[in-house]
Amino acid sequence: MKTTFPLSRKNPLALAVSCVLAGSLFNVSAQEVDETEKVEEKAERIQVIGSRIRTDGLDQATPVEIINASVAASQGINNLGELLRNSTVAAGSNQITAAASTAFVTEGGVGSESISLRGLGANRTLVLLNGRRAGPAGTRGQVASFDPNVLPLSAIDRIEILKDGASSLYGSDAVAGVINIITKKGDESTLNFNTSQPTENGGENYQLNGTYGQTFGRGSFRLVGDYKVQKELAQGQRSFFNCAERYIFNPTTGERADPIDPRTGKYHCNDLLWGHVWLYDYQGAGGNVPVGSKAQFDYDGNLGQFIPGFAVDPNDPDFMVTPPGWFPVAYDRLSDSVTNADHPFQDLETLIPKNELVTLYAQGDYELTDNTSVYGEVLLNRRTTTSNGYRQFWSYKYNEDFFGGDPLSAGWTGAQWLSPTAITDHSGDKITVDYRRFVVGLTGDIGDWYWDLAYQNSYSSGDYKTKLIYDDAISPYNFASGSCVGTNTPVRGVPCIDVPWLDPQFLAGNISPQVRAFLFGEQTGNTVYKQNSIEGFISGDLFELPAGNVGSAFGFQMQEDSINDVPGPETLNGNAWGQTSAGITAGKHNSKAVFSELQIPLIRSMPLIESLDLTVSGRWTDVSSYGSDSTYKAGLNWNIANGFRVRASRGTSFRSPALFELYLNNQTSFVAQRNIDPCINWGPGLAAGTTSEKVANNCAADGIPANFGGGAITATVTTGGGAGQLGAETSVSETVGLVWLPDFTDHRFSASVDYFDIQITGEVTSLTAGQIVGNCYNSETFATEPLCSQFERDPTDLRITDVRGGYLNIATQVNRGLDFTVNYGTDTPIGRFSATYQHTRQLEASRQLFATSDPIDRTGEFGSPKDVGNLMVGLTYEDWTFNWNARYVGSVSNYERYGQGTYRDTGSYRGDPVKLVLHSDAVIYHAFSVTKEFTTTGLDVTFGVANAFDKEPPKVSAIGGVTRLGTSAFYSQYDWLGRRMFMNVSYSF
């Protein structure tokens, strides 16, 4: 299937829509079209996203981008999520991808994806399917967003993106904009095979689909079947992810300053520690345990060649004594270089999970009478996601002769507590989500008025099977004094066995079958999300003014949402070690709304005002779980002259909290002190460059000693929904744009620029325990920082005892910027040439947690580049089409963030000054493809290469707060697969 084509093959209205509403390469301005064509096609009226009023679709005031799904094949894109993420309206912010869902806890669970326009959150981007809401899909208690996985590209004709708030027309969630996915119609039937093969192993993709469409006397139907497999990409399959080098430099010479592991001769990999016993030392001054050190076993028998062992003093019973083969590590540069922090399990951890998708889609319509039609849609999708992982787990034990003593710690003596920390590959998930969506509706005409009435039902049921560690095999026996043999565990009631916590092989992940059976298991939870809605509207002309007819639309919507998440039995029993203990999350709410829209022609055919139209809309919404509110929007569309048009709008939005934000059952988790407390050993951390000056100063102000070792007991973290406390979000969105479609180019050229400003008040968010404590001690206003009241310290040993999380309304979030688009298309002696460039510049992307907090603007930092752009060029010559796509990600820098408002590119590692890399130059990803159309056989073949120059993600330093995986910045703007070859074979019949 070609992705560019001679425009002369289309009828007049289709010609206009192709030029103005984006075609295969063109962006939509929804308005710049020859008036004579509008007159000729006046009878043919359509509805364009951004308005409920049916018009000729060519004079709308709202900024809309149209993406033709056919461009995906020419760029090596094989899923809806990636196609949407590449749009500049989404590319300027970090997005939730399948890879991000395995690296972090994300809404919707492992394998799910979502789209966040303008970086304002997926819950503030409304997704429609053929103009009607598409219900969410996913697992766990935080399901709220549409998952692009549920719909394959093979079913899609185009995607309309309204780059403006529109709650007054479409209701809640339409804060940042609206995505409307339009499915294919017509008689075309195809069989299609698509594959993408990276030049390195991992991440291969295969897809087979077929679609059959038929138009008959009074109706039509279309069937789509799609099967897709995305193979796993493991961390070890890409060199830039498999070793977390510190990536620091000598500030004088510019040479690398990383410690070199003498065992390999390479820079030390500093990922997840393994094979260690963490030490809580109570000797006081003059002891033999270096501050911050861990005890590491000498697995290779050569540590003594590189570092000293524990000092020995038989006359001091408090001195740490270990069995043979243990050495202190991770306390200075030399010991850092031999600290085990790169286990083979890491290479097997999933980066991009294996995804298997099976989809069936059907739609049809039938004319009941000359003025009334019935239509329907059925979407069935199953997603199976498999991921593998690894993790640490630990216990707490006494030395053999310290405090209560523990005979199972034979050979370990001195004034210490021990936290032996093991590693295991018993970690991962298998997710199965079954999604179905049904739509049935009636549509027709009453005179010159058009009406539509539709019922939609969506249902998502997701099973999430998770590997777990039993808490009752560990926690009850922390600080035990002796064997547990002969007793039963308190939750499962199984015979207890003594876990060999201090066995070096156990710590390295070599665990016997008997111990594995005692420690490890699996559980399955289930999440069901239901959405039912009925909506209708009627559109037509009310009356005529001197400048033209007043168009109108009036409608209503009723919707019911419900969620029921039942975690696995061990989670319900609080018996999953290191994981959240949670109850059943169940809740529902009903909403009802009425809305209206008027399109008023104000002026026609005056000097410098060829036309001036005013569009106003309003909506009243009532949500059972919150209350009611009203929203409005007003827009002006001013056609000046000579192809110049100004468009402007201002509107408000209203988003009631999502179900999970209200009803998420209280979850209790137990988090290790060392994972959340930035004040642990803040003095050595300041010297080593791992603790910032601001955090060190605030910890000192809080009375925390510089050598504070942290508490040995985990902190209790409680989070839950905010029902009864949360308010609704409100927002104001403003846009002003200029469009130019000069007549002298015969519409071969068009350009537009739009300014947008969106401000959300009372945004609902949730902070983790680490964010709460970390932001407290990282605050410029520490003495009055509200987050500091969200946790408690024990007055005796200063450990953090409780952290209170959950959903709360924060002050504001602001996103401002400019969208640019330039289009050009013309016939040349060698074929049809088409080109478009789209660019978004962010001016502000700030967030303010509380009224007393300073706004934090992330613009220009990793994850929020100032500039993103897309260049698309196509040339069609007879049956050949050549395409070039260049995706631009602007330069980013975190130096000012690291310097707390002042540029800073130096830090300290173990007392030595080092130069840091906390920036990336602009990156351009190129894709090239060629398509051959065999017109006599109905066959189209596309070959291409994506990321043609094999650009790797930018490398950044471990110091400085940039999110990394391996040595690479870990943000959705960057390509993680590398160069890949792709092919698409399509047969039409």
Side-chain angles (χ1 to χ4, degrees), residues 302-326:
N302 60 3
L303 280 181
Q305 302 176 22
F306 312 119
I307 58 173
F310 288 99
V312 177
D313 184 355
N315 298 318
D316 190 338
D318 288 344
F319 259 38
M320 171 71 115
V321 176
T322 71
W326 292 90

Side-chain angles (χ1 to χ4, degrees), residues 660-675:
F660 73 85
E661 293 168 340
L662 291 169
Y663 301 116
L664 184 68
N665 198 300
N666 275 347
Q667 300 179 341
T668 301
S669 59
F670 302 93
V671 180
Q673 303 279 328
R674 62 190 187 226
N675 288 346

Side-chain angles (χ1 to χ4, degrees), residues 163-165 632 648-652 732-736 754-759 815-817:
K163 300 185 288 185
D164 191 10
Y632 76 88
S649 68
R650 188 179 196 275
T652 61
V732 176
S733 173
E734 297 175 338
T735 64
V736 179
D754 289 279
Y755 170 79
F756 59 89
D757 185 342
I758 304 172
Q759 178 169 315
N815 190 267
R816 298 185 300 113

Side-chain angles (χ1 to χ4, degrees), residues 668-732:
T668 301
S669 59
F670 302 93
V671 180
Q673 303 279 328
R674 62 190 187 226
N675 288 346
I676 64 170
D677 192 349
C679 292
I680 293 176
N681 288 317
W682 63 261
L686 181 62
T690 56
T691 302
S692 71
E693 294 175 8
K694 180 165 56 176
V695 170
N697 292 338
N698 288 338
C699 290
D702 207 21
I704 310 297
N707 62 347
F708 172 58
I713 305 299
T714 55
T716 301
V717 182
T718 304
T719 59
Q725 300 178 0
L726 288 178
E729 300 175 355
T730 59
S731 68
V732 176

Side-chain angles (χ1 to χ4, degrees), residues 205 247 257 277 290 517 584 625 704 729 800 869 878 895 953 959 980:
N205 186 283
Y247 204 61
V277 176
I584 296 172
S625 59
I704 310 297
E729 300 175 355
I800 297 174
E878 295 182 348
Y895 292 118
I959 303 170
R980 50 201 177 274

Side-chain angles (χ1 to χ4, degrees), residues 564-682:
N564 188 56
D565 174 64
V566 182
E570 302 302 332
T571 296
L572 290 172
N573 292 332
N575 196 34
W577 185 92
Q579 296 179 1
T580 300
S581 171
I584 296 172
T585 294
K588 69 176 181 178
H589 60 201
N590 301 307
S591 63
K592 53 190 176 184
V594 292
F595 61 88
S596 62
E597 179 186 11
L598 296 176
Q599 189 176 85
I600 306 168
L602 301 177
I603 301 174
R604 288 290 186 275
S605 303
M606 292 184 64
L608 296 182
I609 307 178
E610 290 188 3
S611 64
L612 179 64
D613 296 331
L614 170 68
T615 301
V616 293
S617 59
R619 187 183 190 96
W620 175 82
T621 304
D622 181 78
V623 183
S624 61
S625 59
Y626 171 73
S628 61
D629 206 342
S630 299
T631 56
Y632 76 88
K633 184 175 182 180
L636 278 175
N637 189 13
W638 173 20
N639 188 355
I640 303 172
N642 300 319
F644 285 100
R645 184 184 297 269
V646 173
R647 55 194 179 194
S649 68
R650 188 179 196 275
T652 61
S653 291
F654 159 78
R655 188 184 82 88
S656 60
L659 285 175
F660 73 85
E661 293 168 340
L662 291 169
Y663 301 116
L664 184 68
N665 198 300
N666 275 347
Q667 300 179 341
T668 301
S669 59
F670 302 93
V671 180
Q673 303 279 328
R674 62 190 187 226
N675 288 346
I676 64 170
D677 192 349
C679 292
I680 293 176
N681 288 317
W682 63 261

